[in-house]
Amino acid sequence: GQQLNQSPQSMFIQEGEDVSMNCTSSSIFNTWLWYKQEPGEGPVLLIALYKAGELTSNGRLTAQFGITRKDSFLNISASIPSDVGIYFCAGQVRNNDMRFGAGTRLTVKP
Amino acid sequence: GAVVSQHPSRVICKSGTSVKIECRSLDFQATTMFWYRQFPKQSLMLMATSNEGSKATYEQGVEKDKFLINHASLTLSTLTVTSAHPEDSSFYICSARSGRYTGELFFGEGSRLTVL
């Protein structure tokens, strides 16, 4: 099936810095979703994108659905320690067919 | 947003026993739920798609007799790990979609299974 390439694999940043991560694919997706997962818990939906070019914000988080429909990025501004976790992108092609990126592990140093 | 609840959050069992994990959509009806397995520091691996009122659809390489899925109602799907072995120890997560074919996917809190 379609694979999502998520990068970077991990990030170590200082509190207050901005973060950017992205997902790319060789295939077109109809929906892009971004999730955050903390240890021992299930992923929590952060942002959902449904249209090519769409730019959506959720507090300090901003995500965009790429124009080509093959990529998406997530930015976190002014990071804080509680941003620590693993961020996953997910792309949906058609009915019930959703693929996940490998995740970006974020560490924020106070 | 929609809430999906999983139970139990942690379970320890002896090798050879069966364990049932429940996944409930609390404030919406889910005709389709999904079951994933997650190994440490890895992404989610889709195991099967649970369809209300019909048989589950399993991903390639997932033993359907080992991982029994039942989706008897629009708000409940269960995953039973039969004759569990230590290699079945993992983090199991369910998800449900708020719409039939589209809409956002919401995840349960996950269930950590440890087989001794």
Side-chain angles (χ1 to χ4, degrees), chain B residues 22 45 49 64 66 76 83 85 87 101 108-109 112 115:
Chain B
E22 293 184 347
M45 183 187 78
T49 301
K64 59 182 179 182
K66 173 75 170 177
L76 173 65
S83 187
H85 290 282
E87 57 266 30
Y101 295 119
E109 308 94 327
R112 180 161 302 284
V115 185

Side-chain angles (χ1 to χ4, degrees), chain A residues 2 5 19 29 42 46-48 56 71 76 88 93 97 102 104 108:
Chain A
Q2 297 86 351
N5 300 307
V19 173
F29 286 88
L46 300 174
I47 293 179
T56 299
D71 64 318
I76 304 174
F88 290 102
V93 176
D97 188 0
T104 296
V108 180

Side-chain angles (χ1 to χ4, degrees), chain B residues 14-32:
Chain B
K14 292 182 179 179
S15 185
T17 60
S18 294
V19 173
K20 180 187 286 187
I21 301 171
E22 293 184 347
C23 180
R24 294 181 184 275
S25 56
L26 299 184
D27 53 358
F28 67 99
Q29 293 183 331
T31 54
T32 304

Side-chain angles (χ1 to χ4, degrees), chain B:
Chain B
V3 179
V4 175
S5 179
Q6 249 181 275
H7 178 81
S9 58
R10 285 183 175 80
V11 56
I12 301 174
C13 70
K14 292 182 179 179
S15 185
T17 60
S18 294
V19 173
K20 180 187 286 187
I21 301 171
E22 293 184 347
C23 180
R24 294 181 184 275
S25 56
L26 299 184
D27 53 358
F28 67 99
Q29 293 183 331
T31 54
T32 304
M33 292 184 175
F34 305 90
W35 286 97
Y36 305 83
R37 186 172 179 176
Q38 187 177 33
F39 293 102
K41 299 184 178 180
Q42 293 192 21
S43 187
L44 304 164
M45 183 187 78
L46 180 65
M47 297 174 65
T49 301
S50 173
N51 305 299
E52 188 268 335
S54 65
K55 292 182 179 180
T57 305
Y58 290 82
E59 294 296 301
Q60 191 173 9
V62 178
E63 299 175 59
K64 59 182 179 182
D65 295 329
K66 173 75 170 177
F67 299 100
L68 299 179
I69 292 174
N70 183 276
H71 195 153
S73 78
L74 287 171
T75 58
L76 173 65
S77 175
T78 60
L79 168 69
T80 301
V81 182
T82 62
S83 187
H85 290 282
E87 57 266 30
D88 298 325
S89 298
S90 190
F91 195 54
Y92 293 88
I93 308 175
C94 71
S95 69
R97 192 185 304 283
S98 56
R100 186 174 181 88
Y101 295 119
T102 60
E104 298 151 5
L105 197 64
F106 296 93
F107 287 86
E109 308 94 327
S111 299
R112 180 161 302 284
L113 170 64
T114 302
V115 185
L116 303 176

